Amino acid sequence: MSRDHAGHTDHTDHTSKIVGTVWGLLILNTLGSAGAKTIVPLPRSLIQMVTMGALVAAFALALAINLQLRIRPSAFVLLLTLLLVPSVISSADLESGFGALFRCARLALFIGTLWLLSRWWNGGLTFVRHHIRMYFAVLGSVAAGLVVSPGAATPELYGGRLVGALWPLTPPQIGQYAAVIIGLTVLLVLGRRTDRVSAAVVIVPSLVLLALTHTRTATLGLFIGVALAIGSLFLTSTAARRFFTWAVVCAAVAAVAFGSALREWFLRGQSQENFTSLTGRAKVWDALLAAPRTTADEWFGVGLGDKSFGGLPIDNSWLAVYHEQGLTGVTLVAAIIIVLGGVALLRPPSLPRACAIFLISYCAIASYTEAGLGDASPYLLHLALAASLLAAPATAAPLAMPDVPRRRIPRWARRSEVA
């Protein structure tokens, strides 16, 4: 290997590591600062300092490796940028306080970092591996907290469901992270991009943590998302067809053998009335929709907030966006889902396309009982990953051939010889 080629390879590897670090910092930023009580009490101001510091560091690193500001056209990031408009308009009157402007600045930094990273979006699986590694590390901290203090990790306040005892994470958060990396790892195995032992190391403990969270949305999103993703590979992958067949058989056997236990896990000890009202969410939704609004609030919302109404969490992405960014925000978020889904359907069958379909369908399902599609959140990162998977590979520029001066041929040499 020549010295120049070796130097170029080292530079590429170094840049790849920085890109992975930036993605990990974005994930750290979206972990949030609200959740269960931790074993060692962490002031919320300290957690916010860490998460915001992670975002600033991510933007600075992304800018450092992309000083030329080379970006790839991306309808997803463009629509996110447009989403800033209603966010700033509604937050400027300070109806939601100065925190709304702070959240707008955070969203702008988040989107700016995605623009800088878009240079490396080429339809490959590199960002999928970054995604799995970082969220698996987060789940590792959850498992460590469960081992160190089982009581703090399964408090009565959350009905005995698993929470983050070292970092304040709620059961829905843990369930979401576990479901996403399980689905992506299953698809990597089917595509023969990882071995079964490595996959089992990720899937088995993640399944255990998902079961301990009793998170119904994440579980349904996982099963439906994986089914749709495998369906996209059904005609071109023997492994996908085999896995789908075995999954159906195992699901049928489990439904018969463990039907009562599964039903008890699904209901989480709730009454039929509480289950029907989606654990009280429906009451908050009805109150939000019935609240009087001005024309400005109707179209642009009341400004970025903590995704709550009347002191209670909204727990619905569409209603949270409607409340904070108005009908304009709802239209843009719907456009994001439609554009990503449409591009995924138009792509030929492939493993990256299957991963993108899983992520898009999971976020669409989770949006019914989880907020986050209108602000910097893990759900936007999942969709950004889907956008990177759907990006067309960058075409390499043809190598310019050096101009070779023509050699002058004497006239006598041009004459053909007569035998």
Side-chain angles (χ1 to χ4, degrees):
M1 181 184 293
S2 66
R3 185 179 301 176
D4 291 342
H5 183 67
H8 177 72
T9 302
D10 292 342
H11 176 71
T12 302
D13 292 341
H14 180 66
T15 302
S16 178
K17 291 179 181 178
I18 295 178
V19 169
T21 301
V22 171
W23 196 258
L25 289 171
L26 288 178
I27 289 177
L28 176 59
N29 171 254
T30 57
L31 292 182
S33 58
K37 293 182 179 179
T38 54
I39 299 173
V40 178
L42 299 174
R44 188 173 182 182
S45 57
L46 173 63
I47 298 174
Q48 290 176 333
M49 188 182 303
V50 171
T51 54
M52 273 308 299
L55 179 58
V56 173
F59 180 80
L61 282 176
L63 185 61
I65 59 176
N66 194 3
L67 287 174
Q68 300 85 2
L69 300 181
R70 295 177 182 173
I71 60 176
R72 294 198 61 179
S74 172
F76 167 74
V77 190
L78 176 61
L79 288 170
L80 274 187
T81 307
L82 294 177
L83 188 61
L84 270 175
V85 176
S87 304
V88 172
I89 291 176
S90 58
S91 301
D93 61 1
L94 302 180
E95 183 178 343
S96 298
F98 285 100
L101 291 179
F102 176 80
R103 291 183 177 92
C104 285
R106 173 177 176 244
L107 180 58
L109 268 181
F110 182 86
I111 296 172
T113 306
L114 292 181
W115 272 122
L116 292 171
L117 288 180
S118 66
R119 175 181 178 180
W120 290 275
W121 292 1
N122 57 7
L125 297 171
T126 302
F127 284 94
V128 172
R129 300 186 189 279
H130 294 327
H131 215 63
I132 293 174
R133 287 168 187 159
M134 186 59 187
Y135 278 124
F136 188 66
V138 174
L139 293 180
S141 71
V142 175
L146 179 62
V147 172
V148 172
S149 179
T154 55
E156 288 298 325
L157 179 63
Y158 285 88
R161 301 168 67 190
L162 180 65
V163 300
L166 298 181
W167 185 277
L169 297 173
T170 62
Q173 283 180 283
I174 299 171
Q176 175 198 161
Y177 306 154
V180 167
I181 67 172
I182 289 170
L184 291 175
T185 306
V186 166
L187 294 174
L188 288 182
V189 172
L190 293 180
R192 297 180 180 177
R193 300 300 180 89
T194 188
D195 59 274
R196 295 183 179 181
V197 175
S198 300
V201 170
V202 174
I203 293 174
V204 173
S206 299
L207 274 174
V208 173
L209 295 181
L210 175 60
L212 291 176
T213 63
H214 289 261
T215 307
R216 296 176 292 225
T217 301
T219 305
L220 289 175
L222 169 63
F223 290 149
I224 297 175
V226 168
L228 292 175
I230 293 177
S232 71
L233 295 171
F234 203 80
L235 298 178
T236 58
S237 172
T238 304
R241 291 192 292 269
R242 188 184 303 118
F243 180 86
F244 184 81
T245 302
W246 278 106
V248 170
V249 172
C250 292
V253 172
V256 174
F258 307 103
S260 59
L262 290 173
R263 184 176 182 275
E264 183 179 353
W265 179 90
F266 197 78
L267 288 176
R268 296 196 311 233
Q270 296 176 339
S271 64
Q272 188 67 31
E273 180 183 357
N274 200 12
F275 176 73
T276 304
S277 66
L278 297 172
T279 322
R281 290 185 178 95
K283 297 178 181 179
V284 179
W285 299 347
D286 292 341
L288 186 150
L289 292 173
R293 293 176 182 274
T294 63
T295 303
D297 290 347
E298 186 79 15
W299 284 100
F300 299 107
V302 300
L304 294 183
D306 59 357
K307 314 296 176 286
S308 66
F309 179 79
L312 296 173
I314 298 174
D315 285 341
N316 180 289
S317 283
W318 303 101
L319 291 179
V321 171
Y322 170 68
H323 179 60
E324 296 184 354
Q325 290 139 310
L327 292 175
T328 306
V330 171
T331 302
L332 289 170
V333 171
I336 289 174
I337 301 293
I338 293 171
V339 167
L340 286 176
V343 172
L345 292 177
L346 293 175
R347 288 282 188 269
S350 67
L351 180 58
R353 174 186 183 242
C355 292
I357 289 175
F358 165 72
L359 292 166
I360 296 167
S361 56
Y362 180 89
C363 291
I365 293 167
S367 67
Y368 185 65
T369 58
E370 295 290 333
L373 288 183
D375 205 348
S377 69
Y379 291 106
L380 285 191
L381 271 183
H382 301 332
L383 293 178
L385 177 58
S388 75
L389 291 166
L390 296 173
T395 56
L399 294 176
M401 298 301 292
D403 293 333
V404 180
R406 291 187 177 184
R407 184 179 177 182
R408 186 176 181 275
I409 303 175
R411 183 177 297 178
W412 60 267
R414 301 176 193 171
R415 298 174 183 172
S416 59
E417 296 183 358
V418 178

